[in-house]
């Protein structure tokens, strides 16, 4: 064991440098154990939402002078921030200092008169900037610097990993290369804000809030954008304004259930997005799902969006993951690597199906880190015990209370390296009794499975739900086989440790290569024992004979 891993150090060291770098580029809200107070989830959401409301999205001609563009827009007020990116064409995200500037810009903007087609007049915050006389444009610098909104290609990532200095460095490199950037985060909040404008035509006091991996600190560039149409504020207003003996209520339409109300609302908003939403294409209403949703592509931002409503618990679970991600810098690095490993071996997919999801993998990593000795992450029960009266939160009868001020949670004393944790993660789940045990981050220990799904991960708030109910036995077996194989590869490398070199894959990079077990499993039937059993036995024999066996995972 190295005495401390790279990021678990105090200000003045590498961690502080990384932190400063993150702060200066603004790419990470939180995420290392330095002394800087970390923002609450609700504070981040509030600030970002307000920032998005002062922001516009402009489709630009491909050749444009940045200086003139900014000067032109500054007529409407000072600009706080801007960046360009390429989607279907060149786009600019421009954040004004004041919200009034947006209205000023809208007031001088015209609705295009089209030739054979007709425009549906909708005054949004998505604009197209046209050149009045293209020939009159200057011949000065044509290409504006563009900010990338996609993750590095597998080839590029592979190269980066091969050139890293250590396995710890590889995990950190992978995190830095694939996490959401400051600009991508702003674009996500802006997209929600633009959808809010459309939904606001029906429900003026609604809010559209991002949740899931866009905000829980585990988002990867290119991940989908989960949105929550929040209508609760509308209800709240009226509650405050009652006084005296009278109680005033709105006359409303009644429907038989909450679910039907959700379906009706989403159906109308979906229709609106389809008919009037600038750049909203491929709108699908998936209203019979357990959690009804409207799925669409937002062309200008390039995001695949899932809009839900009446889904407040998911927002709370995003907050919980945000807290776990911010408590210790090893958490996100490990989660990103495990997710990338799972994707590389097709354990996860962008298409819904019988596979493990990223959300389930994140829960598995959190659970594993709760099981270390000393634990790296606290249990949800512990976070609930730390909660104040203001943190109390009951949603639809489910207890969603936990401490929201992450500065009051004591950092872990565990100093294990990422390298060790990655190896131990694979070993832990390569040997986990999935047939009888359930993964439970609330208590931080295995529970007996309450039902017979192959993989059981308890939803931390709706405790009767299994978040991985969709996973089949064969998909779980594939996960276990690959976990064992990866543990084996890391052990082998430990023994005859190849010196890191840019020429050959090593460490984490090896784990992302096509699996040996997969090819062996084709011939599996001919053999007495499946490949993964043999790998497991080999691992055990190394551990019992070798001096450098892994530390106790506490979980077996
Ligand atoms: N969610 C849940 N139970 C599930 C699936 C999802 O509570 N069975 C909630 C989680 O809060 C999750 C969010 O819905 O974060 C969004 O789901 P999804 O998009 O599937 O996962 P993400 O965490 O956003 O990860 P990804 O990057 O794969 O989109
Ligand atoms: Mg998502």
């Amino acid at each position: 064991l190295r005495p401390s891993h790279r990021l678990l150090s105090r200000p003045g060291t590498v961690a502080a440098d990384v932190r400063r770098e993150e702060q200066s580029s603004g790419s990470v809200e939180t995420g290392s154990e330095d002394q800087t107070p970390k923002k609450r989830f609700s504070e981040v959401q509030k600030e970002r939402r307000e920032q998005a409301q002062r922001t516009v999205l402009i489709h630009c001609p491909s050749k444009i002078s940045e200086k003139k563009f900014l000067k032109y827009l500054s007529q409407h007020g000072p600009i706080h921030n801007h960046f360009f990116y390429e989607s279907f064409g060149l786009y600019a995200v421009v954040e004004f200092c004041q919200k009034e500037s947006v209205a000023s810009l809208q007031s001088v903007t015209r609705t295009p008169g089209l030739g054979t087609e007709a425009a549906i007049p909708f005054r949004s915050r998505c604009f197209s900037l046209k050149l009045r006389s293209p020939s009159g444009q200057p011949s000065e610098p044509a290409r504006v610097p563009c900010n990338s909104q996609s993750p590095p290609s597998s080839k590029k990532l592979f190269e980066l990993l091969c050139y890293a200095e250590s396995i710890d460095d590889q995990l950190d490199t992978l995190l830095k290369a694939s996490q959401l950037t400051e600009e991508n985060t702003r674009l996500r909040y802006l997209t929600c804000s633009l959808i809010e404008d459309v939904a606001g035509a029906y429900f003026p006091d609604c809010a559209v809030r991002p949740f899931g991996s866009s905000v829980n600190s585990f988002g990867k560039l290119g991940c989908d954008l989960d949105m929550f149409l929040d209508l609760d504020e509308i209800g709240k207003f009226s509650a405050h304004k009652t006084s005296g003996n009278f109680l005033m209520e709105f006359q409303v339409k009644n429907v038989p259930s909450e679910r039907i109300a959700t379906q009706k609302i989403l159906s109308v908003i979906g229709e609106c997005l389809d008919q009037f939403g600038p750049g909203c294409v491929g709108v699908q209403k998936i209203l019979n799902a357990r959690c009804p949703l409207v799925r669409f592509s937002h062309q200008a931002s390039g995001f695949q969006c899932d809009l839900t409503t009446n889904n407040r618990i998911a927002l709370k679970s995003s907050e919980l993951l945000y807290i776990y991600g911010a408590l210790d810098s090893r958490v996100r690095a490990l989660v990103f690597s495990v997710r990338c490993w799972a994707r590389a071996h097709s354990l996860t997919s962008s298409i819904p199906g019988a596979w493990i999801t990223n959300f389930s993998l994140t829960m598995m990593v959190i659970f594993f880190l709760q099981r270390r000795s000393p634990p790296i992450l606290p249990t949800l029960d512990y976070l609930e015990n730390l909660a104040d009266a203001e943190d109390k939160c009951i949603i639809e009868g489910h207890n969603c209370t936990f401490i929201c001020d992450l500065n009051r949670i004591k950092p872990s004393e565990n100093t294990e390296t990422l390298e060790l944790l990655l190896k131990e993660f694979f070993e832990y789940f390569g040997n986990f009794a999935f047939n009888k045990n359930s993964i439970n981050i609330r208590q931080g220990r295995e529970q007996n499975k309450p039902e017979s799904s192959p993989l059981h991960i308890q939803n931390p708030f709706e405790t009767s739900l299994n978040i991985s109910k969709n996973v089949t036995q064969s998909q779980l077996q594939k996960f276990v086989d690959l976990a064992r194989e990866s543990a084996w590869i890391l052990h082998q490398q430990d023994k005859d440790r190849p010196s890191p070199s840019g020429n050959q894959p090593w460490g984490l990079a090896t784990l992302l290569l096509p699996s040996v077990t997969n090819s062996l499993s084709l011939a599996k039937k001919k053999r007495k024992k499946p490949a993964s059993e043999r790998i497991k036995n080999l691992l055990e024999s190394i551990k019992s004979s070798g001096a450098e066996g892994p530390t106790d995972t506490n979980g077996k």
Side-chain angles (χ1 to χ4, degrees), residues 196-317:
E196 186 179 303
D197 288 350
V198 177
Y202 272 97
F203 303 106
D205 295 309
C206 75
V208 172
R209 308 183 192 283
F211 71 99
S213 59
S214 299
V215 297
N216 67 17
S217 80
F218 295 103
K220 176 185 166 217
L221 283 172
C223 70
D224 69 355
L225 172 54
D226 303 293
M227 303 173 171
F228 162 63
L229 171 65
D230 188 352
L231 302 171
D232 281 10
E233 295 295 324
I234 300 173
K236 264 190 215 155
F237 281 2
S238 46
H240 291 303
K241 289 183 183 156
T242 56
S243 63
N245 248 347
F246 291 110
L247 179 70
M248 199 68 99
E249 279 185 346
F250 284 110
Q251 283 198 3
V252 289
K253 277 237 181 215
N254 290 327
V255 291
S257 70
E258 204 52 67
R259 181 173 168 83
I260 294 174
T262 300
Q263 289 169 331
K264 284 196 183 287
I265 293 165
L266 282 179
S267 174
V268 169
I269 301 297
E271 204 55 42
C272 245
L273 291 174
D274 197 17
Q275 307 290 343
F276 312 135
C280 298
V281 297
V283 180
Q284 282 173 275
K285 300 183 200 170
I286 309 172
L287 302 178
N288 286 323
R290 186 187 75 78
C291 185
L293 69 132
V294 174
R295 177 166 289 170
F296 60 96
S297 297
H298 190 257
Q299 258 186 335
S301 62
F303 294 133
Q304 171 76 29
C305 305
D306 277 352
L307 177 70
T308 55
T309 186
N310 193 18
N311 193 15
R312 189 162 285 281
I313 295 183
L315 197 65
K316 214 53 196 166
S317 91

Side-chain angles (χ1 to χ4, degrees), residues 188 211-216 218-220 222-227 290-291 295 306 308 311 313-319 321 339 348-350 357-360 362-363 457 459-462 465-470:
R188 283 171 190 269
F211 71 99
S213 59
S214 299
V215 297
N216 67 17
F218 295 103
K220 176 185 166 217
C223 70
D224 69 355
L225 172 54
D226 303 293
M227 303 173 171
R290 186 187 75 78
C291 185
R295 177 166 289 170
D306 277 352
T308 55
N311 193 15
I313 295 183
L315 197 65
K316 214 53 196 166
S317 91
S318 303
E319 177 169 5
L321 292 193
R339 284 179 166 199
T348 51
S349 165
S350 52
T357 59
N358 281 332
F359 183 54
S360 296
T362 309
M363 288 296 184
I457 305 176
N459 182 310
F461 301 119
E462 290 171 273
L465 296 180
N466 171 12
I467 65 161
S468 49
K469 207 178 166 63
N470 59 315

